[in-house]
Amino acid sequence: MSANYISPISMEAISSLCGELDKNNSISKSDFARYHVKRGLRNEDGTGVMAGLTRICSVEGYYILDGERVAKDGKLSYRGYDINQIVSSCIKENRFGFEEVIWLLLFGDLPTENQLASLQEVIAACRELPEDFIEDMIMKHASKDIMNKMARCIMCLYSYDENPDDISVANVLRQSLQLIAQVPTIMNTAYQVKRRTFYGKTMYLHPINKDQTTAEYILNQIRSDKKFTDEEAKLLDIMLMLHADHGGGNNSTFSTRVLTSSGTDTYSAITAGFGSLKGPRHGGANISTTRMMNEIIANVADPTDEGQIKDYLVKILNKEAGDGMGLIYGMGHAVYTVSDPRAVILKKSAQELAYKAGYEKEFKTLENIEKVTPDLLRELKGNNADVCANVDLYSGLVYKVLGIPEDLYTPLFASARIVGWCAHRLEELTTNNKIIRPAYKSVARKREYIELYKR
């Protein structure tokens, strides 16, 4: 069990040094404009700087006409296949689809029945962690944050690999398949240890059922009674499919590609993805959305009323309510303008189950947020850009409907997105062969060195 480590450096001492740090670390906005720096690797119109090519995933939310950005319905494609067609086919045939998406993203084409069955066998066989790994790496060092613990475990798996530094395609593919299978096991074990250590609750670790799909396996592991309905498992399966990839430019995937370009090992590269996804501006946004929804329900007399929702959102934008950031979480996206296809699919897939589970008020609250926010931003912020609901608006509610604890919202995202990270790592290794190294212009003034006794 982890013991608290008390740093020998006092925060009072650190605070006194911050003034020194601030003096020499400020850069004026005019300098960024002067040197045409594209902050955040974004162009002036908000589009991303072209940094690479990929055949894995396409994210479309606008098109350029006569040099201007024109909004259009969002489209997400995996290897050229529209995500709507993939998901709707699975729903129509009443089957699970995440494993099919794993094959598609890694290998580039839809699997045959035999290929899919073989992949499912491999994933199931690889879910188990190395002997004594759970006790030595997870139980002895509990963490308050599951994402940090998962990242640490990924790095630790390097020590259990007989050939960790070989970056040949065959070896990286082997490592990728193993990590995709093991991450849900790491996630659940880390959560169970946190429950015991920090919440004083019972920890339960169930045997691995090799006959289950990834979605079934996750629900089997996190529920004390191991019980769940087929409908619940297939809703989670849709979530996993939607989160599996989102192009090479999203922050965590780009981080993975940057490390991959240096020639480093798989464990280091994938850990970079975890560190990025943990951030509240990336994968952590679903938690912020859920907390915002709960606050609105607690403070608005009738959250199903659009007018009352609008009034409270005004308070959030004015930093009089919410977390003080002045942001309406779950709304807006860097690429999608008219619609986020993931949000559209989730909303449609979750509604019936949400109503059945008694979350009608929560669903209508989110629906009203989606309705009133675009016009509200135009009124208050003078923002004429198209704003739509993103996947985070409804993903938190889906997790809530499934009885998944908030601690696992972002880790579940990671359990799906690791597929995309691995696919992009393989593509970077096979197609680029050049270290990613953008330029930074130094704006430090030249100074003469002053000898110590003269300072």
Side-chain angles (χ1 to χ4, degrees):
M1 207 175 289
S2 300
N4 289 328
Y5 171 75
I6 301 175
S7 172
I9 307 173
S10 73
M11 287 308 298
E12 190 175 319
I14 291 293
S15 296
S16 68
L17 293 172
C18 286
E20 291 294 313
L21 189 148
D22 291 341
K23 268 194 316 188
N24 300 301
N25 282 282
S26 61
I27 299 176
S28 69
K29 290 185 178 180
S30 61
D31 279 342
F32 284 102
R34 176 185 174 191
Y35 294 109
H36 307 289
V37 176
K38 298 183 176 182
R39 289 190 292 168
L41 293 181
R42 300 280 186 87
N43 296 311
E44 289 182 5
D45 62 359
T47 59
V49 172
M50 192 66 68
L53 301 173
T54 181
R55 297 182 64 179
I56 297 170
C57 181
S58 172
V59 181
E60 304 170 39
Y62 57 85
Y63 62 93
I64 305 298
L65 179 64
D66 296 330
E68 292 199 12
R69 194 165 83 156
V70 180
K72 71 171 189 176
D73 286 327
K75 184 177 181 181
L76 173 63
S77 301
Y78 291 165
R79 296 287 189 173
Y81 294 98
D82 190 324
I83 190 64
N84 283 287
Q85 293 180 330
I86 297 172
V87 172
S88 62
S89 174
C90 292
I91 293 173
K92 181 181 177 182
E93 297 171 21
N94 192 30
R95 61 182 176 85
F96 292 91
F98 181 58
E99 283 72 21
E100 179 177 302
V101 165
I102 293 174
W103 181 283
L104 176 61
L105 290 174
L106 289 178
F107 300 107
D109 212 344
L110 294 170
T112 64
E113 288 186 5
N114 288 338
Q115 288 171 334
L116 184 57
S118 296
L119 176 66
Q120 289 169 331
E121 287 180 12
V122 169
I123 296 294
C126 290
R127 284 185 181 135
E128 194 169 342
L129 294 168
E131 188 176 356
D132 298 326
F133 186 93
I134 290 176
E135 183 177 353
D136 292 342
M137 301 299 173
I138 305 179
M139 295 181 72
K140 289 181 179 178
H141 304 280
S143 174
K144 294 179 181 178
D145 189 276
I146 307 301
M147 286 292 286
N148 276 77
K149 173 54 70 175
M150 292 170 79
R152 182 178 183 274
C153 287
I154 297 295
M155 286 298 292
C156 287
L157 284 170
Y158 174 100
S159 302
Y160 292 80
D161 192 329
E162 293 180 355
N163 196 17
D165 289 305
D166 177 3
I167 59 170
S168 66
V169 171
N171 195 54
V172 172
L173 179 58
R174 172 190 64 81
Q175 293 169 330
S176 297
L177 290 169
Q178 287 180 192
L179 288 176
I180 289 167
Q182 291 169 332
V183 159
T185 305
I186 293 171
M187 173 187 71
N188 176 67
T189 309
Y191 172 64
Q192 297 301 331
V193 174
K194 178 180 180 178
R195 276 171 53 89
R196 183 188 67 174
T197 307
F198 299 104
Y199 300 155
K201 295 185 177 180
T202 302
M203 180 175 72
Y204 40 87
L205 299 172
H206 303 311
I208 293 174
N209 185 338
K210 294 185 178 181
D211 294 327
Q212 292 177 325
T213 64
T214 302
E216 291 173 312
Y217 174 64
I218 290 172
L219 290 178
N220 179 87
Q221 291 293 300
I222 66 175
R223 294 191 175 182
S224 59
D225 59 4
K226 300 188 288 184
K227 293 181 180 178
F228 55 87
T229 66
D230 183 66
E231 186 181 21
E232 288 175 322
K234 285 187 173 134
L235 178 58
L236 179 57
D237 182 69
I238 290 173
M239 286 286 291
L240 296 174
M241 284 193 277
L242 296 178
H243 280 317
D245 195 34
H246 210 238
N250 74 79
N251 194 273
S252 57
T253 302
F254 188 63
S255 298
T256 302
R257 293 193 79 133
V258 168
L259 267 74
T260 296
S261 75
S262 75
T264 194
D265 64 278
T266 296
Y267 303 97
S268 296
I270 297 303
T271 299
F274 275 90
S276 167
L277 194 70
K278 181 197 171 189
R281 293 179 180 175
H282 193 4
N286 50 26
I287 296 174
S288 299
T289 304
T290 301
R291 291 174 180 172
M292 179 187 72
M293 177 193 73
N294 292 337
E295 180 184 330
I296 291 173
I297 291 173
N299 290 280
V300 172
D302 182 8
T304 64
D305 180 81
E306 288 184 28
Q308 293 182 42
I309 290 289
K310 182 177 180 180
D311 291 341
Y312 201 82
L313 291 178
V314 170
K315 292 182 180 180
I316 290 176
L317 289 173
N318 290 333
K319 301 182 181 180
E320 299 167 357
D323 61 4
M325 297 298 292
L327 299 172
I328 299 175
Y329 294 104
M331 294 298 300
H333 191 268
V335 179
Y336 297 126
T337 50
V338 177
S339 62
D340 179 340
R342 302 168 302 170
V344 173
I345 292 170
L346 265 192
K347 181 180 178 181
K348 183 178 179 182
S349 301
Q351 183 171 6
E352 184 178 344
L353 197 57
Y355 278 39
K356 190 183 297 184
Y359 290 109
E360 183 176 350
K361 181 188 291 185
E362 285 81 356
F363 187 88
K364 287 184 176 179
T365 299
L366 295 177
E367 198 170 37
N368 282 332
I369 292 171
E370 181 182 6
K371 285 180 183 177
V372 305
T373 296
D375 288 337
L376 185 59
L377 290 175
R378 292 186 188 98
E379 291 173 21
L380 294 186
K381 301 287 186 179
N383 183 3
N384 292 320
D386 291 282
V387 177
C388 66
N390 61 49
V391 69
D392 293 313
L393 188 65
Y394 291 99
S395 63
L397 179 58
V398 169
Y399 290 143
K400 195 169 185 176
V401 168
L402 293 174
I404 292 169
E406 194 174 283
D407 282 320
L408 295 180
Y409 284 12
T410 309
L412 266 173
F413 191 163
S415 296
R417 184 55 59 86
I418 189 174
V419 179
W421 295 336
C422 290
H424 282 273
R425 171 167 168 77
L426 285 160
E427 186 178 61
E428 186 70 28
L429 287 171
T430 56
T431 63
N432 198 18
N433 281 327
K434 200 171 186 71
I435 189 169
I436 297 172
R437 190 198 180 284
Y440 268 67
K441 168 73 176 175
S442 173
V443 291
R445 61 186 177 84
K446 291 184 178 180
R447 296 186 283 181
E448 290 296 324
Y449 182 79
I450 303 170
E451 293 176 345
L452 182 60
Y453 74 94
K454 291 182 181 180
R455 295 176 211 163

